Amino acid sequence: MTFLGCLVLDDPPKPGIADTVRELKSLGVALVVITGDNRLVAANLAKRIGLNHERILTGPEIRRMSDEALKVQIRRVQVFAEVEPNHKERIILALRKAGHVVGFLGDGINDASALHAADVGISVDSAVDVAKEAAHFVLLQHELAVLIDGVREGRRTFANTLKYVFMATSANFGNMFSMAGASLFLPFLPLLPKQILLTNLLTDIPEMAIATDTVDAALVEKPERWDIGFIRRFMIVFGLLSSVFDYATFGVLLHLAPTPPPSAPAGSWNRCCPPLWWYW
């Protein structure tokens, strides 16, 4: 029982991690540390990587909080220390209830529930099997900077997906409105169902190039979300605009098309004269 000295353990962050944190912040991604370590250790780590460590929420404090109180507190906290595994899940759920899209990075057995609770669960290839099975993505490189490339590529994909949604919804709505409206005053079908489907298929072929389209830098530098209301308004406005040209085409072709003989029985228009698509 003779005191010989102190054994000091240090697990420093990787070089360049502070720059990575700053770059993620510039992309609108806020980093939060959730650890079971002592609050002093967590504060030291947060200081090294450039996080706000003035307010640290600990496991005992979280245990005494209701879910609503925790939802309010997390808005001002970037470091959670001395937490238990179930606290991690509560923090993730509170962040989601506060309106955040949450990605959680963990590699241990006690991270499995939090990985399930997050919008995006991320693990590493050296993690335990339970964590890797619970995660949506497994990083093959032990470097947080790869998330920056993932975020940017994901936003490019999202922006190009929106372009396709805008084009497909407006075009299909316009086709539906044109065919339904034309059937009210034309004695024949301007296009058969198979021809409409063929037109949609031929339209989708060039739209495949959208996947390689260039995305504006402004759409990559900040997160975007689905705006169903804007998609609906875009679909209605441009769908109706395309129908105006459809009706104009119907009128021109109807004026140029030959008329059936007076003695032709009702409903024989399609049999005696080609449909409008024939002239197109």
Side-chain angles (χ1 to χ4, degrees):
M1 300 299 293
T2 303
F3 178 74
L4 299 179
C6 295
L7 180 62
V8 180
L9 302 178
D10 185 27
D11 186 13
K14 291 184 177 181
I17 188 65
D19 296 333
T20 301
V21 172
R22 283 193 294 269
E23 191 165 358
L24 284 171
K25 185 177 180 180
S26 68
L27 292 173
V29 180
L31 188 65
V32 174
V33 174
I34 307 175
T35 177
D37 291 339
N38 182 274
R39 63 178 300 157
L40 298 178
V41 175
N44 179 265
L45 173 65
K47 182 179 179 181
R48 291 188 182 188
I49 64 178
L51 293 181
N52 180 15
H53 58 282
E54 296 180 359
R55 174 77 171 96
I56 298 178
L57 202 59
T58 62
E61 294 174 319
I62 295 175
R63 191 181 303 114
R64 294 191 297 267
M65 288 183 182
S66 65
D67 291 340
E68 289 299 321
L70 180 60
K71 177 182 173 181
V72 175
Q73 289 293 326
I74 60 173
R75 300 178 186 274
R76 303 189 296 269
V77 179
Q78 283 191 282
V79 181
F80 300 85
E82 303 174 15
V83 299
E84 300 173 5
N86 65 306
H87 294 158
K88 296 181 180 181
E89 182 179 2
R90 285 189 62 193
I91 294 170
I92 297 300
L93 293 176
L95 287 168
R96 294 186 62 183
K97 290 178 181 178
H100 299 286
V101 177
V102 184
F104 180 80
L105 175 62
D107 60 358
I109 295 177
N110 58 355
D111 295 324
S113 60
L115 288 168
H116 275 295
D119 292 291
V120 180
I122 307 172
S123 190
V124 293
D125 61 342
S126 60
V128 298
D129 292 339
V130 174
K132 288 191 289 187
E133 291 175 1
H136 299 91
F137 297 97
V138 177
L139 303 182
L140 301 181
Q141 300 181 28
H142 297 177
E143 180 61 50
L144 194 63
V146 299
L147 294 179
I148 298 174
D149 297 332
V151 168
R152 286 183 171 144
E153 190 60 34
R155 291 178 183 177
R156 293 189 191 100
T157 303
F158 181 78
N160 284 334
T161 301
L162 278 181
K163 295 176 185 177
Y164 176 81
V165 170
F166 288 146
M167 295 181 66
T169 55
S170 59
N172 290 333
F173 176 77
N175 289 341
M176 178 195 69
F177 189 81
S178 299
M179 295 301 106
S183 64
L184 297 177
F185 59 87
L186 291 180
F188 59 91
L189 291 177
L191 288 174
L192 299 176
K194 291 182 179 180
Q195 295 163 348
I196 296 176
L197 294 177
L198 178 61
T199 302
N200 289 337
L201 177 62
L202 296 177
T203 304
D204 284 340
I205 293 177
E207 287 181 354
M208 293 173 62
I210 295 177
T212 60
D213 194 18
T214 301
V215 176
D216 293 340
L219 297 177
V220 178
E221 296 303 320
K222 63 178 182 179
E224 299 287 342
R225 295 196 182 191
W226 288 103
D227 188 347
I228 302 300
F230 180 76
I231 295 176
R232 185 187 302 112
R233 292 191 297 272
F234 186 97
M235 175 190 72
I236 294 174
V237 172
F238 285 91
L240 294 178
L241 182 62
S242 67
S243 294
V244 172
F245 291 95
D246 289 341
Y247 289 131
T249 303
F250 294 161
V252 171
L253 296 179
L254 185 62
H255 178 72
L256 297 178
T259 57
S263 60
S268 63
W269 222 98
N270 282 331
R271 293 194 297 272
C272 70
C273 298
L276 293 185
W277 61 265
W278 187 86
Y279 295 94
W280 186 274

